[in-house]
C-alpha cells in the first residue's frame, strides 16, 4: 500500500478506484436490505409510474403541437383577411381570401381548439394518476434514504486508504498540532470559516476549510435624464414659378429662397456615482502540516495543461524553459536564491519559481516527486492541472471544491431503486476522485508521506474543547437572523471568541458584522448639447455597518432532546439567552 501511494495517480487507476467502488456497492446493498424495500416491487411501481409519465409527456407534446397549429391557422386567417382587403383592387383576391379564412377558421375552431381542450383534460387526468402512482415508490425510497449517512464517502475512503483518518470535528488539540506546523487561524474580521473537515494522514494533521470572505468593491450607479429642445435651422429651398413671356410662351423660372425650419432634438444625459458595496465570496482549501522543508515557501497556480497535446506541452516547456534559464543565470550572478532544476519540464509545468530556498525545494521535490507531479498535472483522471499549491513553512494549502465538505444523501434521491443505486455509485465515485485528487499533490511528494505525530500533551481546558475554526463553523450553522441586527440586509461575517468552558462545553461570544442599506439620491449637474446645465438624479445605495454580539454554547451531541439549537459535526450549538 505504501509504495502504491507514492504514485497517487497509479494507485487510483489500478486499485483505489475499484476498491472504493466495491465498498460503495456493498454499502448500498446493505442499506437496501436493512430498509426492507423490495427492489422487484419497487421496479414494478416505478415502471407503472413511468408508463403514465410517458403518456403525460406525449400529451404535453400534443398540446404544444396544437399551439403551433393554432398559430398557423391564425396566420391563414390573417392572410385571408389581407387578400379580402386587396380584393377591392383585384376581384380574384376575393376567392383566395375567402378560401383562406374558411380553411383557417375550420381548422382552428373545428379541430385545433377542440383537440387542445381534449388533450388538456386528458393531461390533467393522467397527471393526477401519475402523482398517485409516484407516492408508493417514493415512500419506499424515503425509507431507504433514512439509512444513508452523510459521512459515508469518508468512511469508504478510510477503508480504501487505511492511513487516512477523518474526525467528526476539529478539536482544540488538533488545532494545536496544526499550529505547531505553522497553521494560524485568521483573526481577520473580514473572514469567517463556514465549514471544516479535520483528520490526519499517518499522524500528519490536515484540515479542510470553507471560508466566507468579505471585501468592499466600488459599484458604479447610473442615472439618466432625457432632455428635449428645438433648434432653428436656415436652409435654401429651390422653388419654381411659371410666367408668359413677351412672345406668349409659357416659361418656368427656378429660384432659391432661404427658409427657417424647426428641428426637434433630444438627448439622454447620463451621470454616475461610485460608492463602496460589500462583496462576499467562498473559497475552500485543504491544509496539511508536515515538518519537511520547514523554511520553504512557494506558490504555484493552475495552468490547465491536462487537456493539451504533448506537442503543445513540449512547445510550452521549450518556450518557458528559455526564460527560466535566463532567470536562473541572472539570479546566480546576483547571488539570489532561484536556481533552475535539471528537470526543465517539471520547472515549467509546476511553476513554483517564487521559492525562497532552493536547497529545501530540491530535498522536497526528489526525482520521484517530480515524476509523480508531472504525471498528475498531465492526466485528467484525478485533478489534473486544476489546483493551486501554497507552502508557508511547515503548512501546505491545496485549493479544493466546496462540495467535498457538503455531502448529502439528497445527491442521489430518486423514486427508483435502480436509479438511486446509479446515482449513489456515481456520486461516491466522483467524491472519491475529487477527494483523492485534492490530496494527490501532497501524496506525490514521498517525503510528505513520512509519519510525523505531534499530538498535544494535555491541552489546558482553558483553551476550550473545540478549535477556533470549529467555533466559527458552528456559529455559521445557526439561522443568521438570530445573530445579526434586525435591519441587516446583507450576509454577515461571524467571528468568535472563547469566553468560558467546562467539562464538555465551550461558551463562545459571536460577533456578527453585516450592513444595513439606505437608498440615496445624488443630483449631478450635466451639460447637454442644448448648451444648458441639467440636474440628473442618480439613485444609489449606501451600506452602513451593523455589529451585534451574541453568546452561544457548543457541546457534543447527545441522544436526549437538545431542542432550540442546531446539530452539526456531531456537536450541538445554541444561543445562550
Amino acid at each position: 500500500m505504501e509504495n502504491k501511494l507514492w504514485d497517487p495517480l497509479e494507485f487510483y487507476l489500478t486499485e483505489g478506484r475499484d476498491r472504493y467502488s466495491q465498498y460503495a456497492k456493498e454499502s448500498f446493498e446493505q442499506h437496501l436490505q436493512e430498509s426492507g424495500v423490495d427492489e422487484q416491487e419497487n421496479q414494478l411501481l416505478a415502471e407503472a409510474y413511468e408508463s403514465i409519465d410517458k403518456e403525460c409527456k406525449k400529451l404535453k407534446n400534443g398540446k404544444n403541437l396544437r399551439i403551433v397549429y393554432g398559430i398557423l391557422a391564425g396566420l391563414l386567417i390573417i392572410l385571408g383577411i389581407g387578400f379580402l382587403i386587396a380584393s377591392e383592387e383585384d376581384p380574384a383576391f376575393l376567392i383566395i381570401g375567402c378560401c383562406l379564412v374558411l380553411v383557417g377558421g375550420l381548422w382552428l375552431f373545428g379541430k385545433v381548439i377542440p383537440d387542445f381542450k381534449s388533450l388538456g383534460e386528458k393531461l390533467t387526468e393522467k397527471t393526477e394518476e401519475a402523482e398517485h402512482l409516484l407516492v408508493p415508490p417514493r415512500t419506499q425510497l424515503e425509507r431507504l434514504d433514512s439509512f444513508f449517512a452523510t459521512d459515508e464517502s469518508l468512511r469508504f475512503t478510510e477503508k480504501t486508504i487505511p492511513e487516512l483518518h477523518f474526525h467528526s470535528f476539529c478539536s482544540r488539540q488538533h488545532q494545536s498540532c496544526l499550529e505547531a506546523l505553522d497553521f494560524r487561524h485568521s483573526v481577520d474580521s473580514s473572514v469567517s470559516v463556514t465549514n471544516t473537515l479535520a483528520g490526519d494522514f499517518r499522524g500528519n494533521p490536515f484540515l479542510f476549510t470553507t471560508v466566507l470572505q468579505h471585501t468592499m468593491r466600488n459599484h458604479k450607479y447610473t442615472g439618466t435624464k432625457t432632455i428635449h429642445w428645438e433648434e432653428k435651422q436656415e436652409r435654401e429651398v429651390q422653388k419654381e414659378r411659371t410666367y408668359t413671356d413677351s412672345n406668349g410662351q409659357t416659361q418656368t423660372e427656378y429660384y432659391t429662397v432661404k427658409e427657417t425650419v424647426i428641428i426637434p432634438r433630444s438627448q439622454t444625459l447620463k451621470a454616475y456615482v461610485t460608492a463602496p458595496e460589500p462583496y462576499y465570496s467562498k473559497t475552500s482549501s485543504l491544509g496539511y502540516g508536515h515538518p519537511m522543508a520547514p523554511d520553504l515557501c512557494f506558490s504555484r497556480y493552475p495552468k490547465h495543461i491536462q487537456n493539451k497535446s504533448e506537442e503543445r506541452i513540449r512547445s510550452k516547456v521549450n518556450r518557458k524553459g528559455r526564460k527560466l534559464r535566463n532567470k536562473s543565470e541572472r539570479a546566480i550572478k546576483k547571488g539570489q536564491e532561484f536556481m533552475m532544476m535539471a528537470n526543465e519540464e517539471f520547472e515549467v509545468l509546476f511553476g513554483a519559481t517564487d521559492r525562497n530556498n532552493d536547497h529545501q525545494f530540491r530535498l522536497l521535490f526528489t526525482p520521484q516527486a517530480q515524476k509523480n507531479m508531472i504525471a498528475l498535472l498531465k492526466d485528467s483522471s484525478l485533478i489534473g492541472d486544476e489546483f493551486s499549491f501554497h507552502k508557508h513553512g511547515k503548512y501546505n494549502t491545496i485549493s479544493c471544491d466546496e462540495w467535498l465538505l457538503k455531502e448529502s444523501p439528497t445527491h442521489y434521491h430518486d423514486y427508483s431503486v435502480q436509479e438511486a443505486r446509479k446515482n449513489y455509485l456515481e456520486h461516491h465515485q466522483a467524491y472519491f476522485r475529487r477527494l483523492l485528487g485534492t490530496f494527490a499533490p501532497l501524496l506525490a511528494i514521498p517525503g510528505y508521506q513520512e509519519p510525523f505525530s505531534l499530538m498535544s500533551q494535555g491541552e489546558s481546558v482553558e483553551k476550550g474543547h473545540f478549535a477556533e475554526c470549529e467555533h466559527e463553523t458552528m456559529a455559521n450553522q445557526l439561522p443568521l437572523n438570530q445573530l445579526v441586527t434586525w435591519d441587516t440586509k446583507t450576509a454577515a461575517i461571524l467571528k468568535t471568541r472563547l469566553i468560558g468552558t467546562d467539562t464538555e462545553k465551550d461558551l463562545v461570544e459571536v460577533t456578527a458584522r453585516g450592513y444595513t442599506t439606505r437608498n440615496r439620491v445624488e443630483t449631478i449637474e450635466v451639460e447637454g448639447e442644448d448648451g444648458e446645465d441639467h440636474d440628473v438624479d442618480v439613485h444609489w445605495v449606501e451600506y452602513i455597518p451593523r455589529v451585534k454580539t451574541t453568546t452561544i454554547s457548543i457541546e457534543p451531541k447527545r441522544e436526549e432532546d437538545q431542542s432550540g439549537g442546531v446539530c452539526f459535526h456531531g456537536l450541538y450549538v445554541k444561543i445562550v439567552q
Side-chain angles (χ1 to χ4, degrees):
M1 172 66 72
E2 182 177 348
N3 291 335
K4 292 178 181 178
L5 276 179
W6 279 354
D7 187 343
L9 178 61
E10 182 69 16
F11 167 75
Y12 173 75
L13 295 174
T14 60
E15 182 177 342
R17 176 172 54 187
D18 294 338
R19 186 190 299 180
Y20 184 95
S21 296
Q22 185 59 37
Y23 290 135
K25 290 176 183 177
E26 292 173 356
S27 175
F28 185 89
E29 300 308 324
Q30 180 180 349
H31 292 327
L32 182 61
Q33 184 178 3
E34 292 171 346
S35 69
V37 175
D38 187 323
E39 184 172 356
Q40 292 184 343
E41 179 187 358
N42 175 266
Q43 184 176 352
L44 292 174
L45 293 171
E47 289 174 352
Y49 162 74
E50 290 168 357
S51 175
I52 301 300
D53 188 54
K54 286 181 181 178
E55 292 185 34
C56 290
K57 290 177 181 177
K58 288 181 180 179
L59 291 171
K60 287 179 183 177
N61 292 334
K63 283 189 66 178
N64 293 335
L65 189 59
R66 274 21 178 221
I67 293 174
V68 175
Y69 290 164
I71 293 172
L72 293 176
L75 291 175
L76 285 177
I77 295 172
I78 293 171
L79 185 60
I81 293 173
F83 275 102
L84 291 175
I85 295 173
S87 65
E88 295 179 359
E89 299 178 1
D90 188 347
F93 287 164
L94 180 61
I95 298 174
I96 298 174
C98 290
C99 290
L100 289 175
V101 171
L102 181 62
V103 171
L106 289 174
W107 188 20
L108 179 62
F109 297 102
K111 182 65 176 175
V112 176
I113 293 178
D115 285 355
F116 185 82
K117 290 181 178 179
S118 175
L119 289 171
E121 292 171 357
K122 291 180 180 178
L123 179 59
T124 301
E125 179 184 338
K126 290 295 181 180
T127 300
E128 292 177 356
E129 184 179 354
E131 291 175 352
H132 178 72
L133 290 173
L134 182 60
V135 172
R138 180 159 286 174
T139 301
Q140 289 181 331
L141 265 294
E142 288 174 355
R143 189 161 74 247
L144 175 61
D145 288 346
S146 65
F147 287 85
F148 295 135
T150 57
D151 62 348
E152 287 186 332
S153 291
L154 303 180
R155 304 290 80 85
F156 301 155
T157 302
E158 289 177 329
K159 288 183 178 180
T160 306
I161 307 175
E163 297 91 337
L164 197 59
H165 304 98
F166 296 95
H167 307 166
S168 298
F169 55 83
C170 186
S171 65
R172 176 65 212 189
Q173 186 181 34
H174 192 81
Q175 178 178 329
S176 297
C177 294
L178 291 169
E179 288 174 340
L181 297 167
D182 295 338
F183 165 79
R184 293 295 179 268
H185 174 69
S186 176
V187 296
D188 187 347
S189 60
S190 65
V191 172
S192 180
V193 179
T194 62
N195 206 350
T196 62
L197 175 60
D200 66 89
F201 176 77
R202 292 178 177 163
N204 305 312
F206 65 80
L207 177 65
F208 285 89
T209 56
T210 295
V211 172
L212 178 66
Q213 185 167 11
H214 158 257
T215 54
M216 294 300 292
R217 294 183 176 182
N218 285 331
H219 184 89
K220 190 175 183 180
Y221 299 88
T222 305
T224 61
K225 182 178 184 179
T226 301
I227 59 174
H228 302 271
W229 73 97
E230 293 179 342
E231 290 184 353
K232 294 181 179 179
Q233 189 177 56
E234 286 191 350
R235 63 182 181 183
E236 292 183 346
V237 180
Q238 190 179 55
K239 293 189 176 183
E240 64 179 37
R241 67 183 177 188
T242 59
Y243 64 94
T244 303
D245 61 14
S246 59
N247 296 321
Q249 299 293 321
T250 301
Q251 302 291 336
T252 301
E253 180 183 18
Y254 296 93
Y255 64 96
T256 302
V257 297
K258 289 186 178 181
E259 289 185 351
T260 301
V261 295
I262 305 298
I263 301 176
R265 297 286 305 275
S266 66
Q267 180 190 10
T268 300
L269 303 177
K270 292 184 178 181
Y272 305 95
V273 170
T274 301
E277 177 184 58
Y279 175 78
Y280 297 88
S281 60
K282 277 188 177 183
T283 57
S284 297
S285 62
L286 162 64
Y288 182 76
H290 197 282
M292 189 173 185
D295 306 313
L296 176 62
C297 297
F298 67 77
S299 300
R300 71 90 51 186
Y301 299 92
K303 300 178 178 61
H304 316 291
I305 67 165
Q306 70 274 15
N307 296 319
K308 294 182 179 179
S309 65
E310 281 294 331
E311 183 179 354
R312 291 188 63 186
I313 293 175
R314 281 196 301 271
S315 175
K316 181 182 181 69
V317 170
N318 293 335
R319 186 175 66 257
K320 296 290 186 180
R322 288 192 294 270
K323 295 181 180 180
L324 290 180
R325 285 194 296 272
N326 293 334
K327 178 180 179 179
S328 179
E329 291 172 0
R330 290 194 299 269
I332 292 173
K333 290 178 182 178
K334 295 179 181 180
Q336 295 175 346
E337 191 63 40
F338 182 75
M339 183 180 294
M340 188 171 177
M341 300 178 76
N343 190 339
E344 189 173 284
E345 184 179 30
F346 170 75
E347 279 281 21
V348 172
L349 299 185
F350 190 67
T353 57
D354 63 345
R355 55 185 180 261
N356 67 337
N357 192 313
D358 267 308
H359 175 66
Q360 292 190 8
F361 188 80
R362 282 167 165 75
L363 289 177
L364 189 67
F365 288 98
T366 61
Q368 180 64 44
Q370 296 175 37
K371 176 184 175 184
N372 292 346
M373 194 65 73
I374 291 173
L376 192 65
L377 294 171
K378 289 183 175 181
D379 197 300
S380 60
S381 299
L382 273 177
I383 196 172
D385 188 6
E386 297 291 340
F387 65 93
S388 60
F389 189 155
H390 303 277
K391 177 174 172 63
H392 299 281
K394 303 169 190 174
Y395 198 68
N396 306 265
T397 306
I398 306 290
S399 59
C400 72
D401 293 328
E402 181 187 355
W403 72 278
L404 288 176
L405 286 75
K406 296 175 66 175
E407 187 179 8
S408 170
T410 58
H411 290 147
Y412 30 85
H413 182 77
D414 206 271
Y415 61 86
S416 165
V417 170
Q418 290 182 352
E419 286 299 313
R421 179 187 286 108
K422 177 175 172 289
N423 296 340
Y424 182 89
L425 296 178
E426 287 179 352
H427 165 75
H428 284 292
Q429 289 163 356
Y431 188 95
F432 180 67
R433 173 177 171 269
R434 296 304 297 179
L435 184 66
L436 183 58
T438 304
F439 276 102
L442 300 168
L443 299 179
I445 303 171
Y448 274 174
Q449 296 194 33
E450 294 299 323
F452 176 78
S453 180
L454 188 66
M455 299 307 294
S456 179
Q457 300 296 321
E459 277 292 319
S460 171
V461 73
E462 295 179 358
K463 294 184 177 181
H465 303 285
F466 315 111
E468 292 169 293
C469 58
E470 195 68 47
H471 288 161
E472 290 184 10
T473 296
M474 296 305 296
N476 275 289
Q477 306 314 307
L478 291 166
L480 187 61
N481 60 1
Q482 297 181 12
L483 300 173
V484 298
T485 59
W486 65 272
D487 58 347
T488 297
K489 301 290 181 62
T490 65
I493 297 296
L494 308 183
K495 298 304 291 184
T496 59
R497 182 176 68 88
L498 181 69
I499 57 176
T501 186
D502 60 17
T503 55
E504 61 175 13
K505 181 188 300 184
D506 282 356
L507 204 60
V508 177
E509 180 184 83
V510 181
T511 301
R513 293 179 173 86
Y515 295 87
T516 189
T517 58
R518 186 173 299 167
N519 295 323
R520 299 287 195 183
V521 179
E522 185 166 338
T523 301
I524 298 177
E525 200 173 74
V526 179
E527 183 179 358
E529 292 178 0
D530 62 351
E532 301 292 333
D533 291 333
H534 302 270
D535 290 338
V536 179
D537 292 337
V538 182
H539 296 263
W540 62 282
V541 179
E542 180 185 11
Y543 289 88
I544 304 167
R546 287 291 183 264
V547 181
K548 181 182 177 181
T549 300
T550 309
T551 301
I552 64 173
S553 66
I554 305 172
E555 60 185 303
K557 179 183 176 182
R558 298 189 297 272
E559 293 298 328
E560 60 265 26
D561 179 43
Q562 289 181 314
S563 58
V566 176
C567 292
F568 190 68
H569 283 184
L571 302 176
Y572 172 74
V573 58
K574 70 173 183 178
I575 294 176
V576 178
Q577 301 298 334

